[in-house]
Amino acid sequence: MFTLVEEGSAAGTGALARTMVHPLPYKKDAFVVVLAIDLRRVELVPMAGTEEPVAPTVPAEHRPGLVPAADLPALIAVFNGGFLSKHGQFGMRVNGEDFAPAREDSCSVAFLDDGSLRIATHKALAPVAARLRSFRQTPPCLSEGGVLDARLAHEDTARLWGAAIGGKREIRRTALGLDASGRTLFFGLGDWIWARDLALAMKAAGAVDVAELDINWSYTRFLLYDRATPPNVVSTLIDKVEYTKGGYISKPAPRDFFYLRRKN
């Protein structure tokens, strides 16, 4: 069951709702918090960090690592982007500017020129390639069309969705998903889980197309803001989340990220 999020800038919008999924009935400390986000009321925006993805030819002024000042009054939340460049060389484009080339076998969170959003293996986006305004790539899609990647059943040997230093795979993970209509976005943040557990939780919440975002304790976060000037963090979605006061707002972020803003 989803309950409306009435904290900070999300209050009164009816745009965000939250639930908790326990994908492993035999392990109650494993969980995924899932947010359902109404894309008719809220817009998702990708941003490159000052350092990631690695793109030596992109001018520094094109990657400030901050939520644009013009969007701060409408800001609802910020959350982490994808893997470091050295962990997969996944592609990214922001408003037509390429930071890293696309990998055809990778999953893409894709932004089309009509404002719609797609999550799919990049080669499946070939028919709309000319319309891709922005995209951020991830490891293989956890799910496409409601069908989980068969390799998730052998995640320990396939090793496609990342692990902690030392090889541990039961870690904190994040994901983005879309429902069948493309109007509801899902963000999932889970602790003590494998990628297949995250995929199952996102599917249970209603997502049919799912991409895994960043993983591990230090790199995963969802920050909900208030409507102050400048905005302040009022919620971290789950406990024990690392973030820097002023980060994304006044202190540039070295890593890429996404943010949510209210639509007019």
Side-chain angles (χ1 to χ4, degrees):
M1 178 183 295
F2 283 91
T3 57
L4 279 179
V5 175
E6 293 290 354
E7 297 173 89
S9 189
T13 66
L16 276 66
R18 169 180 171 162
T19 193
M20 182 177 289
V21 180
H22 292 277
L24 302 173
Y26 56 86
K27 188 174 182 183
K28 297 193 180 299
D29 59 345
F31 67 88
V32 180
V33 175
V34 182
L35 282 177
I37 303 158
D38 188 345
L39 291 175
R40 295 167 297 182
R41 306 182 187 193
V42 172
E43 184 175 6
L44 176 70
V45 184
M47 290 293 291
T50 58
E51 300 174 10
E52 288 285 340
V54 175
T57 62
V58 175
E61 59 268 25
H62 291 189
R63 51 186 316 163
L66 295 167
V67 175
D71 283 347
L72 291 180
L75 179 66
I76 291 180
V78 171
F79 57 89
N80 60 271
F83 283 23
L84 289 167
S85 291
K86 65 181 180 180
H87 295 152
Q89 299 297 323
F90 298 116
M92 186 172 190
R93 175 184 296 168
V94 180
N95 292 327
E97 184 169 28
D98 287 329
F99 286 69
R103 290 181 46 174
E104 293 301 295
D105 60 342
S106 296
C107 196
S108 287
V109 180
F111 300 76
L112 276 63
D113 56 6
D114 63 356
S116 62
L117 191 64
R118 294 274 302 277
I119 294 177
T121 300
H122 200 80
K123 61 186 176 183
L125 297 170
V128 294
R131 299 174 53 203
L132 292 181
R133 185 181 80 244
S134 303
F135 61 78
R136 179 52 161 117
Q137 292 197 303
T138 75
C141 294
L142 296 175
S143 173
E144 282 189 88
V147 180
L148 269 58
D149 191 309
R151 294 168 293 184
L152 286 166
H154 310 286
E155 185 182 347
D156 53 341
T157 55
R159 300 183 179 183
L160 294 169
W161 292 279
I165 295 174
K168 184 178 180 181
R169 301 185 185 279
E170 198 176 54
I171 55 176
R172 183 173 290 180
R173 298 178 184 270
T174 57
L176 268 183
L178 281 172
D179 73 347
S181 73
R183 292 192 295 268
T184 301
L185 178 73
F186 296 92
F187 174 81
L189 195 164
D191 242 345
W192 309 109
I193 57 170
W194 291 59
R196 60 178 176 249
D197 305 325
L198 180 58
L200 288 169
M202 295 292 281
K203 184 176 181 179
V208 297
D209 300 312
V210 183
E212 182 186 58
L213 297 180
D214 213 350
I215 61 174
N216 287 317
W217 184 278
S218 299
Y219 306 132
T220 52
R221 60 186 62 91
F222 184 98
L223 308 177
L224 191 67
Y225 290 82
D226 62 16
R227 299 191 184 189
T229 304
N232 300 299
V233 174
V234 295
S235 172
T236 59
L237 194 61
I238 66 171
D239 295 333
K240 300 179 181 178
V241 170
E242 291 189 0
Y243 69 96
T244 302
K245 186 176 181 180
Y248 307 108
I249 305 301
S250 59
K251 183 177 181 179
R255 303 283 302 274
D256 67 281
F257 62 93
F258 294 93
Y259 68 93
L260 299 172
R261 65 185 178 196
R262 294 187 305 278
K263 289 185 175 180
N264 292 331

